[in-house]
Amino acid sequence: RPVAYVVVFVVFTFFVFSLMGMGIFGNKMHRCTDTEGAAYPGGKAECSGAYINTDVDSHSAGCLFPRSWDKPTHNFDDVWDSMLTLLRVNTVKYVAIINDVMDITDVDQSPSTNFSEFYSLFFVVYLIVGALLAMNLFIGFIIDGFNANRGSTDADLQYERFIRQIWKNTPRPGVNTQPSWWLSQRVRALTETREFQTFSGVCVGINVMFMLSDHADAPELFILIMDIQNYIFFAELWMEILLFFIAYGYKGLLYDTWKVFDIIVVVGISMGYALNNPRITQFVKSFRLFRVVRLMSMIKPIKIILDTLLICMP
């Protein structure tokens, strides 16, 4: 069973990083077949007409070809292509993909060498979490299974479970103490209800579905709808943080890993809006997809893996 838990965790992690790749790199990897005629800062608008192939080493040198705005074989334009691209990254054939990503400039603009080098961090994080960590978890569960069935007595197993329960139920400031302010008491009772948690999860799911529907050459009405829903869910995230701050105080927020992550995301998005920098805003909004992982706690196998990861952290 533990091995099956790891498999479910790996599949879900693979899907989440595919969504993140879509949010960060979607519709940005296109380029003109004539790299010289539509070089940066040119782009899709300049990629028209025809060109002559001047590559003397090519068998089609001197031939006339129409210009076209194409995407590379491995890209992040939709979920399927994103998964195939990450699958190739898992096979350690990622150099060309990382080079293409680091050359990204903007939507409908031609690439420029190493224009966005920081995008390579996405693949570093993915290889650590999706490949190295997942493989270590897989091996760790197998070794733990051998050790648990090799000379371990019932007393040893009961002792290990007892230690885990102590760690899990250790009192945390602001969480295990009841607030004295009547408003904090009522807000805490609200945030602990099943209905509130379901509402938060539904908001995350709807936001992800909107981000999945984003595509190139979208009409103005679609772009307007996307902007409106981004503002709505941005306000909803702020509301959640405010309610939890009233209910648990700043200590309770700092002891909740997911709340800290939400604070980082909402502050980053706010900075992007304040600085009017769409690149920063798009990059941080894509990390909002990591909130999907919180929904994984509703699935027992995934929750066991997440609890194991938290226990292993220093």
Side-chain angles (χ1 to χ4, degrees):
R1 181 178 294 181
V3 174
Y5 291 172
V6 176
V7 172
V8 175
F9 173 78
V10 170
V11 171
F12 209 98
T13 303
F14 187 67
F15 179 70
V16 169
F17 272 94
S18 298
L19 296 183
M20 285 189 61
M22 284 184 56
I24 301 175
F25 313 123
N27 304 320
K28 294 181 180 180
M29 299 179 68
H30 291 69
R31 60 195 62 202
C32 188
T33 51
D34 179 19
T35 56
E36 297 181 359
Y40 180 80
K44 187 176 182 180
E46 290 76 18
C47 188
S48 60
Y51 72 100
I52 298 177
N53 186 5
T54 57
D55 185 4
V56 295
D57 295 328
S58 174
H59 66 278
S60 58
C63 296
L64 188 68
F65 292 94
R67 291 190 179 97
S68 61
W69 190 247
D70 294 336
K71 59 185 178 182
T73 303
H74 300 96
N75 57 82
F76 294 87
D77 284 2
D78 54 54
V79 178
W80 178 248
D81 286 338
S82 185
M83 287 185 174
L84 289 179
T85 301
L86 290 183
L87 181 62
R88 184 172 179 83
V89 171
N90 277 344
T91 62
V92 201
K93 297 180 180 179
Y94 49 76
V95 176
I97 298 173
I98 294 180
N99 286 333
D100 287 342
V101 167
M102 290 194 300
D103 294 346
I104 288 177
T105 55
D106 205 347
V107 178
D108 293 339
Q109 275 194 327
S110 296
S112 179
T113 303
N114 295 334
F115 187 87
S116 304
E117 290 182 326
F118 59 91
Y119 279 159
S120 60
L121 294 176
F122 171 83
F123 296 95
V124 174
V125 175
Y126 172 70
L127 288 173
I128 293 175
V129 177
L132 181 62
L133 181 60
M135 183 58 65
N136 285 338
L137 276 174
F138 186 81
I139 296 174
F141 272 112
I142 293 178
I143 295 176
D144 186 64
F146 278 116
N147 292 334
N149 293 282
R150 188 185 61 183
S152 297
T153 64
D154 291 338
D156 294 333
L157 297 177
Q158 291 294 334
Y159 175 75
E160 292 178 1
R161 293 171 184 171
F162 177 71
I163 295 298
R164 286 197 298 265
Q165 288 298 321
I166 292 178
W167 177 88
K168 184 177 180 180
N169 295 286
T170 300
R172 294 175 293 172
V175 178
N176 299 101
T177 57
Q178 290 297 323
S180 56
W181 190 25
W182 65 271
L183 181 59
S184 297
Q185 295 175 359
R186 294 190 178 183
V187 173
R188 178 178 293 196
L190 172 65
T191 56
E192 291 178 350
T193 60
R194 184 70 176 178
E195 291 77 9
F196 182 86
Q197 297 174 5
T198 303
F199 171 77
S200 177
V202 169
C203 288
V204 175
I206 294 176
N207 193 205
V208 170
M209 294 304 295
F210 269 107
M211 298 187 75
L212 283 175
S213 64
D214 196 8
H215 57 280
D217 301 322
E220 293 184 2
L221 178 59
F222 180 84
I223 297 176
L224 177 61
I225 294 175
M226 290 292 293
D227 290 338
I228 292 175
Q229 67 88 25
N230 278 330
Y231 285 123
I232 291 175
F233 290 114
F234 174 62
E236 184 273 334
L237 184 55
W238 261 116
M239 181 199 70
E240 280 193 33
I241 294 176
L242 179 60
L243 290 177
F244 276 94
F245 177 77
I246 295 174
Y248 296 96
Y250 73 93
K251 290 184 178 180
L253 285 178
L254 295 179
Y255 273 87
D256 190 326
T257 307
W258 293 111
K259 288 296 175 291
V260 172
F261 179 79
D262 286 344
I263 292 174
I264 294 174
V265 171
V266 79
V267 170
I269 297 175
S270 300
M271 291 179 58
Y273 285 140
L275 299 175
N276 196 23
N277 190 328
R279 295 185 66 189
I280 296 177
T281 305
Q282 180 65 30
F283 184 76
V284 179
K285 279 195 302 186
S286 302
F287 275 88
R288 183 170 51 194
L289 290 169
F290 256 133
R291 297 185 70 210
V292 179
V293 182
R294 247 189 351 183
L295 303 180
M296 298 164 62
S297 61
M298 299 180 183
I299 307 174
K300 184 178 178 181
I302 302 298
K303 188 176 185 302
I304 293 175
I305 297 294
L306 292 177
D307 290 341
T308 303
L309 290 177
L310 291 175
I311 293 174
C312 294
M313 289 181 180

